[in-house]
Amino acid sequence: MSEKELGQKWDRCLADCAIKVGAGLGLGIVFSVVFFKRRTFPIAFGTGAGLGMAYSNCQNDLRSPYLVLSNAAKEQ
Amino acid sequence: MLRVCWKGANAAARKCLCGKVAAHPLQHCRRYTSAGNSGSAAGKIVAASLLTVGGGLGGTILYAKWDPKFRANIEKSVPYSDQIFEMALGPPPPPFIPLQKKPGKVEPLQISSVSEASKDSKQPKAKGKTKEKQLEPAPVEAKPAVEETQALSPQTIEEASAEAAHIISAMSEVQSVPAPGTSHEAASAESEAQTPPPPAQSAAADECHECASHEAALKERPVEEVAARLAQQDKAEQDTLAALAFSLEEELGVSAKLTLQAIGAQEAALAAIGTHTQRLREAMDSEDPPDKKSAQWRELEDALSERSHAVDQAGQSLLQAKEQLEKLRVVINGAKESKIDAARPQILAAEENLHSMIVDLDKVVTKVQTAQTEAKIVSQYSELVNEAKVQFQKELSSITPEVQANWKGLTGKLSADDLNSLIAHAHRRIDQLNRELAEQRVREQIRIETALDQQKQEHQIVVESAVKTAIQHNREEQRLEQEKKMQEVREVMEAEMRTQLRRQAAAHTDHLRDVLKVQEQELRDEAQEALSSKIMEQETHYRRQAQEQLDAFTLDMNSAYARLKGMEEAIDSHVVAEEEARKAHQLWLSVEALNYTLKTAAADSPTEPLEAAVRAVKESCADNEFAQALATALPEESITRGVYSEASLRARFYGIRRLARRVALIDETRNSLYQYFLSYLQSVLLFEKDQEAPPTKLAPHDLDTFKLLAYATYSIERGDLELAAKFVNQLHGESRRVAQDWLNEARLTLETKQVVSLLSAYANAVGLGTTQAP
């Protein structure tokens, strides 16, 4: 069903966001602990990166129907 | 000038700003001067224009006074100018109409009126004469012509107009008799002997008569009438002829008798006179003894008395005869006037007789007259002789008184003295007688001359009278001869005419015979033609009738056959119809089954696949193209998978609606996450009616998502899935993507429903069509 698609997308988006933020967080923590002497910026950076990636992914996913592929544009 | 004024005004205004008092008089002055300047110029111009206009008007009026045509033109072209002209010049002159003179007509009118007047005046006079009406115009015309013989031109016009008048009168008066016209003319010519006819009159009479005959010809009566009239006329003629003949003969007889009588009497008188004269002469000359003499004298007296008697008788009979002859003449004239040609020879004969009788009478009368004169002479002579004798006797007796009358027997008785005295007396007597004789001779000479003269005169008179009578007789004879000749010629002509007529009649009979032959032929041919045409008609009629009968029979046969065929066809069609009905019933049943399957949709699951039902439908309408098409028109999905019910769609719609509201702002251009957030915010903050009645026409502002969703909700609530689907179809962007599936499902359902409804309607219609009314 087309109406369920959006919900599914949002679900994915959220899931992805959670994963990415978590992974970023984790990596951030790891990096901050391991490489950057418990400074907070890698955590923020990791979280932010994770959030950003999740946001971008979500956006992309949501945009995907509207994407005009270059070959198609060239063809047109 | 204006600029000057303007400048002045400006300057005045400027000055006004500085100081009003000083400016004003200047202003006024300027105005005055400018006004004065302009006034003079304007005045000049005004004066000039006034002059021009006045000059134009005056010139126009003057010229109009001189030329009325110009005036009329101006009056026509310029309105109200006629009033101005009337004020200035007075009323316009009266229009010039050329007088038409008609002199030509006046004169004939006059003359005709004159002729009419003369005609009227002459009419009673003309009517006084015993003439037929046809002759009236002739004398009427004659008299005016006679009167106006002086002027020739009026006469000709008169004649023409009189002719015209005569034609008019003749047309009204004429009783046309297409018979003898020549006698008319002759009679008119004769009876006109009273007025000496001028030559024009006879010509006019001829003309007039020609006109009359022309008019008579114009008014010809029908043949029978003419024939009857002719017969009548003939009979009348015959009667008059007979009467005339009878009267003529009578008169002739009587007159002949009387004339003979008269002639006889005259001759007797003549004889008597002759005898008397003879006797007288004898008595004179003879020397008979006295007794014989006395006998002679007695005889003479007898003869004289006889003679006088005879003369008287003769005179009487002459008178009678003359009377009778006059009567006869009158009768003859009357007969002549009756104008019957057949009586002519009789009239002629009568006239001849009359003439001869008159001639005889005259001869006899002349004879008698000569005898009478002779007798007179003789009597005179005898008287003279007697006188001389008496005288001598007296003388003798005076001389010799004793001597008796008869001196011849005295020779022995006389003495010498007596003898001597007697001789002396005788000598004296002889001398006297000689002297007398000489005297007488001389006197005789004179007397003879006078007598000769007298006789000449008398002779002249007698000759004249004789000549006159001879001329008259001659004339009469000539006339009679002429008439006889005319009669002969007429008879000859008549005979010739008769021969010609006979010839003509013969030719006519020949021609008639030929014509009759030709006509007979023609009539025969016509009859033949008529007969043949009638026969053909009958034949065709008979044939037509036979054909008609045949046709009627064939028609009946055909109709019977047709009915039979019709009945068979009806039966067949009944069978067919029943078959059809059965099929339709089957179709209907299958469609009902299909309909039923549609109803098996559960709340969220679609219906059963319609395959079976569709197959059944297809089977039931194997030969029906329409139903087949319809059946195949069902969408595949519905056949294989089935369709959702309306209720489920309705329920689903609300979820769609919510979702669509949330992503209302998202489309190709705006599809970032932020936009998602914004659109969600919008959906939360925007308050709109859930349901809104959609307008009949969508305006662009109605294509807003929320509005569309409102219209769709409204429609769906009212059960109009189609309209809702239409509205949902108008969504675009993400909302559309969200609603796409629902839209498809809705479309499917609608299609299926449509097809099924069509099928059912069709099945119903077919079933209805095949249903036969009881």
Side-chain angles (χ1 to χ4, degrees):
Chain A
M1 305 287 175
S2 59
E3 63 261 27
K4 288 189 180 131
E5 193 188 322
L6 198 65
Q8 288 168 357
K9 272 187 191 168
W10 277 116
D11 290 343
R12 272 205 303 273
C13 209
L14 274 170
D16 192 44
C17 179
I19 291 166
K20 288 227 170 31
V21 163
L25 190 70
L27 268 177
I29 289 169
V30 165
F31 267 84
S32 112
V33 163
V34 169
F35 296 114
F36 293 104
K37 302 162 188 174
R38 297 230 176 149
R39 268 200 246 174
T40 40
F41 79 87
I43 300 167
F45 178 74
T47 316
L51 203 67
M53 279 196 286
Y55 183 88
S56 182
N57 262 359
C58 194
Q59 195 167 275
N60 225 10
D61 194 14
L62 283 168
R63 256 188 201 174
S64 57
Y66 299 112
L67 270 179
V68 178
L69 296 171
S70 56
N71 349 348
K74 273 191 197 157
E75 275 174 23
Q76 278 181 5
Chain B
M1 177 179 46
L2 277 167
R3 240 182 270 147
V4 165
C5 287
W6 185 244
K7 275 187 189 162
N10 277 343
R14 258 184 253 122
K15 285 272 175 72
C16 234
L17 286 171
C18 302
K20 285 188 188 173
V21 180
H24 273 296
L26 220 80
Q27 202 179 11
H28 279 297
C29 279
R30 200 162 280 146
R31 270 208 204 121
Y32 262 120
T33 50
S34 62
N37 279 336
S38 62
S40 68
K44 272 192 210 146
I45 284 162
V46 162
S49 59
L50 268 175
L51 208 68
T52 320
V53 165
L57 271 174
T60 316
I61 290 173
L62 276 171
Y63 189 62
K65 188 172 182 179
W66 187 65
D67 187 9
K69 263 194 215 163
F70 176 72
R71 179 174 171 165
N73 271 343
I74 295 289
E75 279 181 10
K76 239 193 306 183
S77 50
V78 178
Y80 298 115
S81 58
D82 52 351
Q83 290 179 8
I84 297 169
F85 277 132
E86 207 169 310
M87 261 198 313
L89 301 171
F96 175 68
I97 299 168
L99 294 164
Q100 294 176 4
K101 292 189 182 172
K102 296 173 185 170
K105 276 197 181 176
V106 174
E107 287 178 10
L109 280 171
Q110 278 184 351
I111 287 167
S112 66
S113 66
V114 163
S115 76
E116 289 290 333
S118 63
K119 189 172 165 187
D120 288 332
S121 65
K122 298 292 183 254
Q123 279 260 344
K125 222 190 205 177
K127 274 182 183 152
K129 299 183 188 173
T130 54
K131 287 185 194 167
E132 291 175 37
K133 275 195 175 179
Q134 274 181 328
L135 292 176
E136 264 185 337
V140 166
E141 197 186 281
K143 297 233 184 307
V146 167
E147 284 174 2
E148 298 184 11
T149 41
Q150 298 104 14
L152 269 172
S153 57
Q155 194 187 12
T156 50
I157 298 173
E158 167 66 40
E159 273 184 44
S161 65
E163 209 178 324
H166 166 67
I167 287 172
I168 294 165
S169 69
M171 275 179 72
S172 57
E173 287 176 354
V174 101
Q175 315 162 11
S176 67
V177 175
T182 49
S183 52
H184 290 178
E185 279 193 23
S188 72
E190 280 188 12
S191 53
E192 285 282 339
Q194 300 166 19
T195 55
Q201 185 212 341
S202 57
D206 280 345
E207 280 177 25
C208 138
H209 191 68
E210 272 176 17
C211 305
S213 63
H214 278 311
E215 296 314 310
L218 280 176
K219 277 173 48 172
E220 234 177 80
R221 287 124 190 246
V223 178
E224 305 90 11
E225 213 184 316
V226 161
R229 212 186 155 76
L230 273 172
Q232 214 181 30
Q233 268 183 357
D234 282 341
K235 208 161 71 87
E237 265 185 34
Q238 291 282 346
D239 291 341
T240 44
L241 180 71
L244 267 173
F246 183 67
S247 67
L248 268 174
E249 274 178 30
E250 224 183 271
E251 292 292 322
L252 264 174
V254 168
S255 55
K257 209 166 56 172
L258 279 174
T259 318
L260 281 172
Q261 222 179 41
I263 288 171
Q266 294 281 357
E267 288 200 349
L270 188 72
I273 293 170
T275 48
H276 174 72
T277 322
Q278 188 72 30
R279 291 269 166 76
L280 195 60
R281 212 174 268 151
E282 275 178 15
M284 290 287 104
D285 295 337
S286 72
E287 301 264 344
D288 292 327
D291 50 351
K292 257 202 178 172
K293 267 278 178 170
S294 57
Q296 262 186 349
W297 285 122
R298 241 181 279 123
E299 279 176 15
L300 200 63
E301 274 175 30
D302 290 337
L304 178 67
S305 64
E306 215 185 285
R307 172 194 151 175
S308 55
H309 180 71
V311 163
D312 286 338
Q313 228 180 22
Q316 259 180 24
S317 60
L318 181 71
L319 268 174
Q320 273 181 9
K322 278 230 163 83
E323 266 179 35
Q324 187 54 40
L325 285 172
E326 276 302 314
K327 262 197 250 171
L328 181 63
R329 191 193 288 275
V330 163
V331 166
I332 286 173
N333 280 344
K336 267 197 242 170
E337 275 191 13
S338 70
K339 301 166 188 84
I340 300 172
D341 282 331
R344 245 165 222 275
Q346 287 177 344
I347 291 170
L348 264 174
E351 275 187 350
E352 261 183 55
N353 281 340
L354 177 71
H355 177 65
S356 60
M357 281 192 272
I358 289 171
V359 163
D360 289 338
L361 262 179
D362 287 340
K363 269 194 226 161
V364 161
V365 162
T366 46
K367 267 196 231 167
V368 165
Q369 274 178 352
T370 50
Q372 272 188 335
T373 46
E374 237 186 79
K376 214 191 278 181
I377 292 169
V378 170
S379 68
Q380 275 185 353
Y381 165 66
S382 73
E383 273 180 32
L384 274 171
V385 164
N386 273 344
E387 230 185 270
K389 259 194 195 166
V390 163
Q391 184 71 27
F392 187 64
Q393 200 73 351
K394 254 202 282 188
E395 284 178 9
L396 210 59
S397 66
S398 70
I399 296 170
T400 54
E402 318 81 57
V403 180
Q404 294 303 321
N406 198 357
W407 55 272
K408 282 190 181 167
L410 292 175
T411 43
K413 301 170 192 171
L414 292 168
S415 60
D417 284 333
D418 287 333
L419 278 168
N420 284 343
S421 62
L422 204 65
I423 288 166
H425 178 74
H427 277 296
R428 246 185 284 135
R429 189 82 178 154
I430 288 166
D431 284 336
Q432 194 196 3
L433 282 171
N434 280 339
R435 249 183 285 134
E436 264 188 36
L437 191 66
E439 222 180 287
Q440 279 297 332
R441 274 210 191 106
V442 170
R443 276 211 197 116
E444 223 180 285
Q445 200 73 21
I446 296 166
R447 270 203 206 119
I448 279 170
E449 279 171 21
T450 52
L452 272 174
D453 286 340
Q454 223 179 32
Q455 190 164 21
K456 255 190 230 165
Q457 278 176 14
E458 279 178 15
H459 190 73
Q460 196 80 18
I461 291 167
V462 164
V463 159
E464 268 179 27
S465 67
V467 161
K468 220 189 281 178
T469 48
I471 284 172
Q472 235 177 20
H473 289 159
N474 224 2
R475 211 178 275 158
E476 278 287 320
E477 270 179 26
Q478 277 188 5
R479 195 176 59 78
L480 288 169
E481 249 187 62
Q482 192 185 13
E483 292 217 354
K484 230 190 283 179
K485 274 202 190 120
M486 248 173 44
Q487 191 67 22
E488 280 172 26
V489 165
R490 200 171 279 139
E491 279 174 18
V492 165
M493 286 290 129
E494 287 258 352
E496 241 190 75
M497 190 179 291
R498 232 171 255 135
T499 49
Q500 296 292 347
L501 281 172
R502 232 178 282 133
R503 253 186 239 159
Q504 193 177 18
H508 183 63
T509 45
D510 283 340
H511 172 68
L512 270 178
R513 209 181 300 131
D514 291 338
V515 163
L516 276 172
K517 231 186 269 175
V518 165
Q519 250 187 16
E520 191 196 326
Q521 195 62 36
E522 273 178 26
L523 282 170
R524 199 165 292 191
D525 289 338
E526 254 183 57
Q528 197 70 32
E529 247 184 68
L531 182 71
S532 57
S533 72
K534 268 264 145 50
I535 286 172
M536 267 210 300
E537 227 184 83
Q538 286 295 326
E539 252 189 59
T540 49
H541 184 67
Y542 167 71
R543 276 209 201 105
R544 201 185 312 129
Q545 273 196 342
Q547 192 66 33
E548 270 176 25
Q549 275 184 1
L550 258 174
D551 286 342
F553 181 66
T554 25
L555 199 73
D556 287 339
M557 286 296 295
N558 282 346
S559 66
Y561 185 67
R563 277 165 67 197
L564 183 68
K565 269 265 173 291
M567 279 199 298
E568 279 181 12
E569 260 175 42
I571 291 167
D572 286 340
S573 69
H574 265 269
V575 164
V576 162
E578 271 185 27
E579 182 71 32
E580 288 284 311
R582 193 184 60 76
K583 273 200 199 142
H585 201 63
Q586 227 175 353
L587 176 68
W588 186 81
L589 279 170
S590 54
V591 165
E592 277 300 305
L594 183 62
N595 237 345
Y596 186 71
T597 53
L598 273 180
K599 290 198 185 110
T600 59
D604 285 322
S605 59
T607 60
E608 290 172 12
L610 306 172
E611 204 174 331
V614 167
R615 207 181 313 122
V617 165
K618 277 193 185 162
E619 274 171 18
S620 67
C621 61
D623 51 355
N624 202 330
E625 276 181 22
F626 184 62
Q628 287 284 332
L630 278 177
T632 45
L634 275 169
E636 277 296 317
E637 289 276 333
S638 65
I639 291 171
T640 48
R641 193 204 60 182
V643 288
Y644 282 94
S645 67
E646 259 187 57
S648 61
L649 282 171
R650 228 183 110 224
R652 211 168 130 183
F653 176 73
Y654 288 106
I656 303 283
R657 182 170 171 272
R658 203 177 36 228
L659 210 57
R661 282 184 94 237
R662 270 198 219 146
V663 294
L665 273 178
I666 311 296
D667 59 13
E668 303 95 14
T669 52
R670 308 164 181 196
N671 47 20
S672 65
L673 233 66
Y674 178 56
Q675 292 292 336
Y676 272 94
F677 170 65
L678 282 175
S679 85
Y680 177 73
L681 202 62
Q682 186 191 38
S683 78
V684 163
L685 292 174
L686 202 68
F687 293 103
E688 269 197 11
K689 281 189 257 179
D690 271 353
Q691 303 172 22
E692 201 175 314
T696 46
K697 246 182 165 187
L698 272 181
H701 72 87
D702 288 328
L703 295 177
D704 180 39
T705 312
F706 296 99
K707 271 253 166 58
L708 283 167
L709 286 170
Y711 294 150
T713 319
Y714 181 84
S715 316
I716 260 213
E717 280 300 312
R718 303 292 178 284
D720 196 350
L721 184 62
E722 194 185 332
L723 200 56
K726 279 183 193 166
F727 282 126
V728 166
N729 196 27
Q730 292 302 319
L731 293 167
H732 46 255
E734 190 65 33
S735 322
R736 193 199 178 77
R737 281 192 61 242
V738 155
Q740 193 64 44
D741 266 349
W742 182 90
L743 201 57
N744 286 342
E745 288 300 324
R747 202 178 279 140
L748 269 174
T749 310
L750 284 168
E751 269 182 38
T752 314
K753 274 229 161 60
Q754 193 180 39
V755 169
V756 166
S757 69
L758 267 173
L759 268 171
S760 74
Y762 176 68
N764 280 334
V766 165
L768 210 67
T770 53
T771 316
Q772 287 171 5

